[in-house]
Each structure stands twice: as structure tokens, then as C-alpha cells.
């Protein structure tokens, strides 16, 4: 999703943190338990580790007047170990009326967001089964989407229903029965039948496969997702949308792929301008670096949403202002589209590695600046990103985290700056090859990944391991610090000594002497070199390295 940027949100967040900190001491264990139940991810429940989701088939009907949802959700799964009962998450406001296993009615319990379905006999490893829940209710309403999740029942300026949903924090189980964990995507895709009052345009992920007008004043559209999809990427949008079409010609220029922005009527003109200027261009620029747009066989569409944005696979939610930033692009459209590679094509199996979505997504904005405006503007863009780095907690805070636990501002800003510094360390050829390989190599593409996978790709291409780089930048909060000392040397010269605060940290530093920049290698975390006495020496004048000078005392 997009980073929080307004100070009011920040102030509210800070207030909530203070309140939460007070309560946390007393309720720590209970809070931890509830977080694990309510948020997406965290430790995987043993009964959920014992099956692999192959496919989801959903039928969802929405009633905007009553803010009600009724649904049928089927999970088609393969047992990976013996299983005595089946567990799947569904939020409590939704009540299950009926459960079936392979079509036969089954007993079930539904407590604290977890549905446990009894099995007529235990499943053996390797068996394939379908579990279906019929359910209905008033799903959680999003208070502050996309940062707090739920259904969004909004209205367009002219008063028409304008609906959507966000689930990145809470998980998809707030509107359909899901294994609420990032480590399992439906390998055979997902089908969704979406029923809405006729007159609204209903949209969802993947390819549209049909449309039926029902006798009761509703219309059902059906959708087929042809790729694995993460739970929070599953979405719908509904409004009296206007379709704005453009053509994407593909990286080789030979294709003719219609790409569509679905705008509310009031914003059609602004959307048309944005889409004509940037829709296909973003795919071209990012595709040249990260490989072809990943979901060409489905689509690339954007739906205007009544909230800021979210990277829903093949149907990106856009709720920004149709304004370019001073680097000449619509950052929200670019950021969410970049997640088609970072988040959707490759997906973190543990929210602990959330930065693989957000750091890479944010850095994609910088890549766009680099490739459209040149490296000076890129450095200016990164200098601004650098100002948002907080270093309060490590970028990667452990393992088995929920999305709420893993979410910090630094997974965006610091994640992006770490990639920027990696570019400095590796040089352009190796660095961009690493990004490309991570997004396209069959070990990772359309699969689940971890930070260690990216470290491995970098080591393969660089021809050496640099554990100190990852350790310092991702697994520790504090930035590396350098010290510079000057001492007189013979012949009217001076010796400059540069020392990192850790001898294992061997990152080279750019140093300008008399305005001329050179690369100073730092084996053993230190370097010495001579300059003319009194020469002006500036460490990293262009801001390549995420580090700071040690404080003098
Ligand atoms: Zn994002």
C-alpha cells in the first residue's frame, strides 16, 4: 500500500501508540494472542500448516443499502500432513449458515474469527478436498482505509454507491473464508462471482468471464484469476464507472494490450489525461528494469477507489488526486503499479519481509525518476526519501510476524534507501541485474520469497557474500557510522583516515577531495589516504550511502 504521509495521521498514530503502550503492559499476552487471530500472518496454526490451498472459488453478493454481504466461499486444498479437522478464518460479524466438505454437510464451530469444520474421517497427506462455507452478515467497515481495513461503502460526489475493500492488515477473512496467512497462495488461481445492484459497474481481479442480469434487480459478473494471488490482493470495486482505455504495446512493442482506468464520472477528464500520459509509460519504464508486466494474460486495470490506494492484483486501487509530483509523475499510480512486481508477482511468505513489497515499491519510484529524468534527479529524490528514515526498529524485525507487527514507515523509506546504497555498492550493472533476476527468475517469479532469497541473488551476481551489509541495514535499527580524522603527513600533505564503527562493515565510501569524487574501499572497515594539506574533503557529498558521521565528543 501507500505510506502514511500526513502529519495528522502521524499525530493520531503517535497518540494511539501512547495509549496502546499503556494498555499493552497489562494485556500483553492477550493482545499478542488477539493480534495473531485478527491480523494477517503471524505464527501459522498447526492445522493450517497441514494443508496447501490450490484454489478459491467465491460468490459474493453486496447490498449497499443495508451494508450486508452474503457469500459462498470454497477452498480447494491438498492435505500436506494428516488432518483431523479443517480450520479457515472468517471474521465474526459474518455468520456461517452451512458448511460442506466435498459437497456433504459438515458440523462446524465459529469462534474468534476461526471456523473449524469437522471431517467425517481424517484426511491423509496428498488428499484433495473442497470445503465450502455459506455465510452472511455485515462485514467490518473500514474506518481509515487503507491503513485500517474493511468494507468501504462510500458515495460518489453525485450520491451513487462507490464501494471497495481493503484487507492488507486484517486479511481477506474480513469478507471471505481464507487461510489468513501470506505463506499460502492458491496455486490454481481464484474465481469470483460478484453480485451488485444493476447500474453499478462491478470489477474484480483477473479476466472477466461473464455477466448475468438477475431477476431481482442485481447483476452478477464473474472473474477468473489465472495466477497465484495473495489474499490481500483479492478485491472488488463498484461504482457507476466510466472506462478509459489506452494501449500498452508490450516491452517488445509488438503487442496491443488494452489497459483500462475505471474512473467515477466526476473524474473522467482528469483520469483520461493521467491514463493517456502515464498508464502505459509506467509499465514500459518498470518493465525494462524488472521484466515484462507480470499479468498480461489477465489484465492491467486501475479502479478509482474511495481510499488512497492498494496494490490489488490486476485491478490497482487508485484514490489519489490526479496530480503529478515535482518529479513529473503520479506517485500513487506508480507506487501501487510497482507492487504488481513487488508484492504480487513475488510475495513475501512472512510479513516480516514486508519491505520486499514496500521498500521495493518505494524504490521503484526512484527508478522511474532515474530512467525518465536522469541520475541527478534520482539523487534528489533519494535525498528526500532519506529524510523519512527513522531507524526506530529494524526493517526486518524477526520471523512469523503479523502484518501489523511488521508495518513501519521504515519498510518504505529505509527499505528504499537500502536498495539505493546497494546500488552504490554493486554498481549499476550488477544492481539492476539483481532486481531483474529477483523478479523474473523461476525460483521466485509468481512464488513466495524471503529477504534471504534477495541476499542470495545479490551474492550470485556480485560473486561474493556480504552478510555485514544485510545484517547492519536490515536486522539492526541503528545506521552505520563513520569517523574521519586528519593528521599531518610529510611533504605538505595530510593523512585522511576513515573508520566505520564496526570492522566487519566494509562498505566503500564516496569521498570528494577538492570537489573530485573518488571511491574509497574500506577493507576491515577502514581506509587511509593522503591529500594536500588543507584540501577540502567531503564524505558522500551526493548521498549514496545510508550512514551518518559518528558524533564528536
Ligand atoms: Zn506500497
Amino acid at each position: 500500500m501507500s505510506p502514511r504521509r500526513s502529519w495528522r495521521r502521524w499525530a493520531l498514530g503517535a497518540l494511539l501508540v501512547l495509549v496502546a503502550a499503556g494498555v499493552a503492559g497489562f494485556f500483553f499476552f492477550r493482545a499478542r494472542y488477539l493480534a495473531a487471530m485478527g491480523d494477517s500472518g503471524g505464527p501459522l496454526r498447526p492445522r493450517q500448516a497441514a494443508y496447501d490451498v490450490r484454489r478459491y472459488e467465491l460468490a459474493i453478493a453486496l447490498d449497499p443499502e443495508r451494508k450486508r454481504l452474503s457469500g459462498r466461499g470454497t477452498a480447494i486444498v491438498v492435505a500436506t500432513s494428516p488432518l483431523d479437522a479443517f480450520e479457515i478464518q472468517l471474521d465474526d460479524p459474518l455468520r456461517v449458515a452451512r458448511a460442506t466438505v466435498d459437497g456433504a454437510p459438515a458440523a462446524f464451530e465459529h469462534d474468534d474469527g476461526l471456523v473449524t469444520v469437522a471431517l467425517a474421517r481424517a484426511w491423509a497427506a496428498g488428499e484433495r478436498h473442497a470445503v465450502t462455507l455459506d455465510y452472511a452478515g455485515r462485514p467490518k467497515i473500514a474506518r481509515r482505509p487503507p491503513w485500517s481495513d474493511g468494507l468501504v461503502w462510500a458515495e460518489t460526489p453525485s450520491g451513487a454507491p462507490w464501494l471497495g475493500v481493503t484487507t492488507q492488515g486484517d486479511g481477506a477473512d474480513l469478507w471471505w473464508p481464507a487461510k489468513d496467512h501470506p505463506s499460502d497462495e492458491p496455486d490454481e488461481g481464484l474465481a469470483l462471482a460478484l453480485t451488485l445492484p444493476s447500474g453499478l459497474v462491478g470489477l474484480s481481479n483477473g479476466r472477466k468471464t461473464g455477466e448475468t442480469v438477475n431477476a431481482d434487480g442485481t447483476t452478477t459478473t464473474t472473474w477468473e484469476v489465472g495466477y497465484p494471488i495473495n489474499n490481500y490482493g483479492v478485491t472488488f470495486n463498484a461504482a457507476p464507472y466510466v472506462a478509459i482505455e489506452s494501449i500498452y504495446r508490450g516491452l517488445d512493442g509488438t503487442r496491443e494490450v488494452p489497459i483500462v482506468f475505471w474512473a467515477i464520472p466526476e473524474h473522467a477528464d482528469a483520469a483520461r489525461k493521467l491514463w493517456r500520459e502515464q498508464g502505459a509509460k509506467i509499465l514500459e519504464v518498470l518493465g525494462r528494469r524488472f521484466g515484462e508486466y507480470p499479468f498480461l494474460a489477465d489484465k492491467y486495470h486501475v479502479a478509482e477507489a474511495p481510499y488512497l490506494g492498494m496494490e490489488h492484483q490486476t485491478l490497482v486501487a487508485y484514490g489519489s488526486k490526479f496530480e503529478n509530483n515535482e518529479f513529473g509523475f503520479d506517485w500513487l499510480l506508480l507506487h501501487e503499479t510497482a507492487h504488481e512486481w513487488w508484492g504480487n508477482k513475488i510475495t513475501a511468505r512472512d510479513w516480516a519481509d514486508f519491505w520486499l513489497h514496500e521498500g521495493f515499491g518505494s524504490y521503484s519510484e526512484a527508478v522511474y525518476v532515474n530512467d525518465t529524468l536522469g541520475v541527478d534527479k534520482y539523487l534528489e529524490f533519494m535525498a528526500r526519501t532519506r529524510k523519512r528514515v527513522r531507524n526506530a526498529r529494524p526493517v526486518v524485525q524477526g520471523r512469523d510476524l503479523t502484518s501489523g507487527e511488521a508495518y513501519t514507515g521504515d519498510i518504505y523509506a529505509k527499505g528504499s534507501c537500502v536498495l539505493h546504497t546497494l546500488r552504490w555498492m554493486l554498481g549499476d550493472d550488477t544492481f539492476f541485474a539483481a532486481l531483474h533476476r529477483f523478479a523474473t527468475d523461476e525460483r521466485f517469479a509468481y512464488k513466495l520469497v524471503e529477504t534471504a532469497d534477495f541476499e542470495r541473488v545479490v551474492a550470485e551476481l556480485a560473486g561474493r557474500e556480504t552478510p555485514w551489509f544485510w545484517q547492519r541495514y536490515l536486522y539492526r535499527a541503528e545506521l552505520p557510522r563513520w569517523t574521519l580524522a586528519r593528521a599531518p603527513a610529510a611533504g605538505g600533505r595530510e593523512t585522511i583516515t576513515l573508520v566505520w564503527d564496526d570492522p566487519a562493515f566494509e562498505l566503500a565510501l564516496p569521498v570528494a577531495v577538492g570537489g573530485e569524487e573518488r571511491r574509497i574501499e574500506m577493507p576491515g572497515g577502514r581506509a587511509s589516504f593522503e591529500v594536500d594539506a588543507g584540501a577540502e574533503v567531503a564524505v558522500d557529498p551526493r548521498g549514496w550511502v545510508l550512514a551518518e558521521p559518528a558524533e564528536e565528543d
Side-chain angles (χ1 to χ4, degrees), residues 415-434:
S416 178
C417 288
V418 169
L419 291 174
H420 170 61
T421 302
L422 184 67
R423 179 183 178 182
W424 156 257
M425 180 171 85
L426 299 176
D428 280 9
D429 289 354
T430 303
F431 172 73
F432 284 111

Side-chain angles (χ1 to χ4, degrees), residues 1-3 168 311 335-336 339 357-358 361-362 412:
M1 79 172 118
S2 41
Q168 190 179 44
E311 57 263 32
H335 178 96
E336 306 301 358
H339 282 306
H357 299 195
E358 298 304 353
S362 298
Y412 295 84

Side-chain angles (χ1 to χ4, degrees), residues 496-511:
I496 305 293
T497 304
L498 272 171
V499 184
W500 283 116
D501 58 0
D502 176 357
F505 192 76
E506 301 195 310
L507 186 64
L509 276 170
V511 178

Side-chain angles (χ1 to χ4, degrees), residues 77-323:
V77 306
V78 170
T80 51
S81 336
L83 204 52
D84 63 335
F86 180 80
E87 288 183 352
I88 196 160
Q89 280 85 359
L90 185 68
D91 254 21
D92 285 341
L94 299 167
R95 300 313 306 164
V96 179
R98 184 164 180 268
T100 64
V101 177
D102 302 322
F108 64 90
E109 285 174 21
H110 188 189
D111 291 308
D112 278 341
L114 188 72
V115 180
T116 306
V117 180
L119 304 178
R121 59 165 184 82
W123 293 351
E127 289 182 23
R128 182 178 173 111
H129 295 281
V131 179
T132 300
L133 303 182
D134 290 334
Y135 63 98
R138 291 184 172 189
K140 181 181 171 189
I141 292 175
R143 290 180 190 280
R144 209 166 53 90
W147 299 287
S148 80
D149 288 327
L151 267 285
V152 184
W153 307 96
E155 289 186 348
T156 64
S158 60
W162 188 11
L163 317 181
V165 64
T166 72
T167 70
Q168 190 179 44
D170 286 19
D173 56 319
L174 70 78
W175 66 298
W176 54 274
K179 179 172 170 181
D180 187 16
H181 201 275
S183 64
D184 198 357
E185 295 189 354
D187 315 70
E188 298 162 25
L190 177 146
L192 174 65
L194 177 66
T195 301
L196 289 156
S198 297
L200 296 179
V201 177
L203 304 170
S204 188
N205 314 86
R207 279 172 297 113
K208 185 174 176 180
T209 53
E211 179 165 331
T212 308
V213 178
N214 307 308
D216 62 354
T218 64
T219 297
T220 301
T221 53
T222 54
W223 303 84
E224 177 67 38
V225 178
Y227 300 87
I229 184 168
N230 61 48
N231 288 346
Y232 79 90
V234 179
T235 196
F236 76 94
N237 296 85
Y241 283 123
V242 177
I244 294 163
E245 196 172 304
S246 174
I247 298 291
Y248 173 58
R249 305 214 171 272
L251 276 188
D252 59 7
T254 64
R255 295 169 186 264
E256 222 168 278
V257 183
I259 59 174
V260 180
F261 192 110
W262 299 90
I264 60 169
E266 290 87 344
H267 298 159
D269 288 343
R272 196 168 288 116
K273 181 170 187 297
L274 169 64
W275 202 235
R276 198 175 53 227
E277 291 173 358
Q278 292 177 50
K281 186 179 178 187
I282 288 172
L283 298 187
E284 284 161 21
V285 173
L286 299 186
R288 275 199 292 272
R289 291 296 191 181
F290 311 144
E292 181 61 277
Y293 171 73
F295 304 108
L296 275 183
D298 276 356
K299 67 177 184 287
Y300 172 57
H301 285 198
V302 174
E304 192 177 356
Y307 53 85
L308 182 58
M310 185 55 73
E311 57 263 32
H312 300 132
Q313 184 167 308
T314 71
L315 186 64
V316 166
Y318 175 96
S320 196
K321 296 182 173 11
F322 300 99
E323 284 171 0

